[in-house]
Amino acid sequence: MSLLDKCFQLRAHGTTVKTELLAGLTTFLTMAYIIFVNPAMLAQTGMDKNAVFVATCLAAALGSFIMGFYANLPIALAPGMGLNAFFTYTVVLKMGQPWPVALGCVFLSGVAFVLISLFKVREWLINAIPAALKKSIGAGIGAFLGFIALQSGGIIVASEATLVHLGNLGQFPALMTFLGLFLIIGLSQLRLRGAVMWTVFIIAGLGVLCGHNQLPATLLAPPPSLAPTLLQLDIVGALQPALLSVVFAFFFVDLFDTAGTLIGVSERAGLSQNGQIPRLKKALLADSSATIVGALLGTSNTTSYVESSAGVAVGGRTGLVAVSTGLLFLLALFFSPLATMIPSYATSGAILYVAILMMHALTDIRWDDVSEAAPVALTFLMIPLTYSIADGITIGFISFTVIKVLTGKAREINGGVLTLTAILLARLIFL
């Protein structure tokens, strides 16, 4: 029995080293866009783009290693979309908090995640929240990302009269945003591995040809310095009462995003038994630990990626998939010149595509039941329009509780929802 087989139980899962490595490559190609998107987004807070690039690669690699070796699941991790947008556009740009304080909030949310992963509070939290609210939060984050992508591409611009209106679609960034979206959809239909990543390169290349950006002097280079973001988090600053809801939002979204990914990927891989996720406690600990490590390195919440299902689709079944994906993220460290040359319009189409996929959750909502549909719609609308996941969650819980009472369905409100509603209501009143 080989060392890899002994470590990852390959035979027991009916797989081989070759299959697992191919699955790891497939997973990496489908999620490698985060290497370019995350630094571009977090750099808007004033963080050093090169350092964030390194932090992104390292957080993804270490998180995937922990998931692979500790939980032995074929699920890779990286800084999460939506959470990085909340970090940038809400906590730093809207609320005016310095980015080290925002990193402190991420760190605290990771600590909270570790604590609930060690105890059975995790089952209580996951099971207490109505499925409709979970889905509406995911879809609302998708709408938030879509709004950001449309702004980044110059498709939606500010207006004094109506707050926003349609921009000049003839401008190069707007054209490239639409072209990027259409290319990703077309290439995905052709089942091209890494359609999102290749599209980002194509759009950046068109930018070079049209004189809007320049090729780097070299494609390979030693990894940039991590010093500008390493251990720069401000935990004390993050402890102020006004930021409690921010920590809660990071924690809450990370928890349910992770739970949803674990359920979906495990079921697709045939690893679930009677609806139960194998090694759930270890998987949640791996995810939460990765968030803490990521905050120390200098990036927003690191979370499980649903793109791991691409690796599972080609036969991946064990943690060797995650480990091989992590190794590829380490290799990507030496391609930093590529990351620095990618303009925002090259990633806006990719962000818009991810946003569209996230909105799929709304298909499972019972729209004929107004007591469910109304809180869902309010959550979905409030997250992008307030530019805040925390505000959207707050309105969602309060409206769910009030509407269920008014429609005579108070019995559908459990203790967990009541507790969270009271906390969020207090946040609105006192903070």
Side-chain angles (χ1 to χ4, degrees), residues 202-270:
I202 291 170
I203 299 300
L206 288 174
V208 171
L209 292 176
C210 296
H212 287 269
N213 57 302
Q214 295 180 333
L215 281 174
T218 178
L219 294 181
L220 289 172
S225 173
L226 183 62
T229 60
L230 180 64
L231 302 179
Q232 296 301 309
L233 66 170
D234 182 358
I235 299 174
V236 175
L239 290 171
Q240 55 187 294
L243 293 178
L244 176 63
S245 63
V246 171
V247 175
F248 175 80
F250 277 134
F251 159 75
F252 191 86
V253 174
D254 199 357
L255 172 65
F256 289 108
D257 187 41
T258 298
T261 298
L262 291 174
I263 291 169
V265 176
S266 295
E267 288 181 352
R268 184 160 185 176

Side-chain angles (χ1 to χ4, degrees), residues 34 37-45 47 79-95 102 106 140-149 151-152 246 249-250 253 299-301 305 351-352 354-355 358 383-384 386-390:
I34 196 63
V37 174
N38 199 53
M41 191 174 290
L42 266 59
Q44 297 178 54
T45 68
M47 299 177 72
M81 291 296 293
L83 289 164
N84 54 4
F86 180 59
F87 180 102
T88 299
Y89 298 103
T90 300
V91 182
V92 178
L93 298 184
K94 181 183 176 183
M95 298 177 64
V106 172
I141 294 172
F144 185 29
L145 284 173
F147 193 29
I148 290 168
Q151 288 180 301
S152 178
V246 171
F250 277 134
V253 174
T299 185
S300 53
N301 298 61
Y305 259 59
I351 296 172
L352 192 53
V354 173
M358 293 180 71
I383 288 177
T386 61
Y387 241 61
S388 172
I389 296 173

Side-chain angles (χ1 to χ4, degrees), residues 11-157:
R11 291 183 187 177
H13 286 88
T15 186
T16 65
V17 173
K18 181 179 178 181
T19 299
E20 296 295 287
L21 294 179
L22 175 61
L25 174 62
T26 302
T27 296
F28 173 77
L29 289 175
T30 59
M31 61 186 288
Y33 65 87
I34 196 63
I35 295 173
F36 313 109
V37 174
N38 199 53
M41 191 174 290
L42 266 59
Q44 297 178 54
T45 68
M47 299 177 72
D48 183 89
K49 187 175 181 179
N50 288 325
V52 175
F53 166 79
V54 176
T56 300
C57 292
L58 289 178
L62 293 173
S64 297
F65 289 160
I66 297 171
M67 182 67 78
F69 285 117
Y70 183 57
N72 195 24
L73 288 172
I75 298 173
L77 290 85
M81 291 296 293
L83 289 164
N84 54 4
F86 180 59
F87 180 102
T88 299
Y89 298 103
T90 300
V91 182
V92 178
L93 298 184
K94 181 183 176 183
M95 298 177 64
Q97 295 293 334
W99 61 261
V101 172
L103 283 178
C105 291
V106 172
F107 178 86
L108 292 176
S109 73
V111 172
F113 200 166
V114 167
L115 292 176
I116 70 103
S117 298
L118 290 172
F119 304 102
K120 290 193 175 181
V121 179
R122 66 183 186 274
E123 283 89 356
W124 176 78
L125 267 177
I126 292 174
N127 295 328
I129 311 306
L133 279 182
K134 295 176 188 176
K135 294 179 184 298
S136 67
I137 292 168
I141 294 172
F144 185 29
L145 284 173
F147 193 29
I148 290 168
L150 292 171
Q151 288 180 301
S152 178
I155 297 167
I156 297 295
V157 296

Side-chain angles (χ1 to χ4, degrees), residues 293-380:
V293 171
L296 294 171
L297 294 171
T299 185
S300 53
N301 298 61
T302 303
T303 188
S304 301
Y305 259 59
V306 73
E307 283 86 349
S308 301
S309 58
V312 166
V314 298
R317 293 294 181 271
T318 74
L320 183 54
V321 175
V323 171
S324 57
T325 302
L327 289 172
L328 289 171
F329 271 110
L330 288 182
L331 182 63
L333 283 169
F334 297 92
F335 291 86
S336 60
L338 274 179
T340 57
M341 70 154 282
I342 302 295
S344 61
Y345 58 76
T347 59
S348 54
I351 296 172
L352 192 53
Y353 176 72
V354 173
I356 292 169
L357 296 183
M358 293 180 71
M359 293 185 212
H360 179 267
L362 293 179
T363 59
D364 299 326
I365 302 301
R366 292 182 298 158
W367 292 104
D368 57 339
D369 181 357
V370 70
S371 70
E372 179 173 310
V376 165
L378 284 171
T379 305
F380 177 78

